[in-house]
């Protein structure tokens, strides 16, 4: 699974870890994130992330 970086604040979304504090289970691919999920650090929308 590929990681994605927020181009605003450099937060890294790691699918292996998910984002359990915001309801995203470990193992959730970036492409499968809920439509309303935003960067937990700066609130940027998903279109502000790039694959790394």
């Amino acid at each position: 699974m590929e990681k994605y970086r927020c181009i605003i604040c450099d937060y890294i979304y790691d699918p292996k870890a998910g984002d359990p504090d915001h309801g995203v289970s470990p193992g959730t691919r970036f492409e499968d994130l809920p439509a309303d999920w935003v960067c937990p650090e700066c609130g940027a929308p998903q279109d502000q992330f790039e694959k790394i």
Side-chain angles (χ1 to χ4, degrees):
M1 287 192 234
E2 291 141 345
K3 296 178 183 177
Y4 285 76
R5 180 180 70 88
C6 176
I7 61 173
I8 306 298
C9 73
D10 291 329
Y11 169 82
I12 304 294
Y13 176 75
D14 181 353
K16 290 181 183 175
D19 185 13
D21 292 341
H22 297 97
V24 178
S25 300
T28 303
R29 298 180 321 149
F30 187 81
E31 296 83 3
D32 296 332
L33 288 170
D36 61 348
W37 184 86
V38 296
C39 177
E41 296 291 322
C42 72
Q46 294 176 39
D47 65 358
Q48 297 300 304
F49 280 74
E50 64 182 7
K51 189 186 309 184
I52 56 170

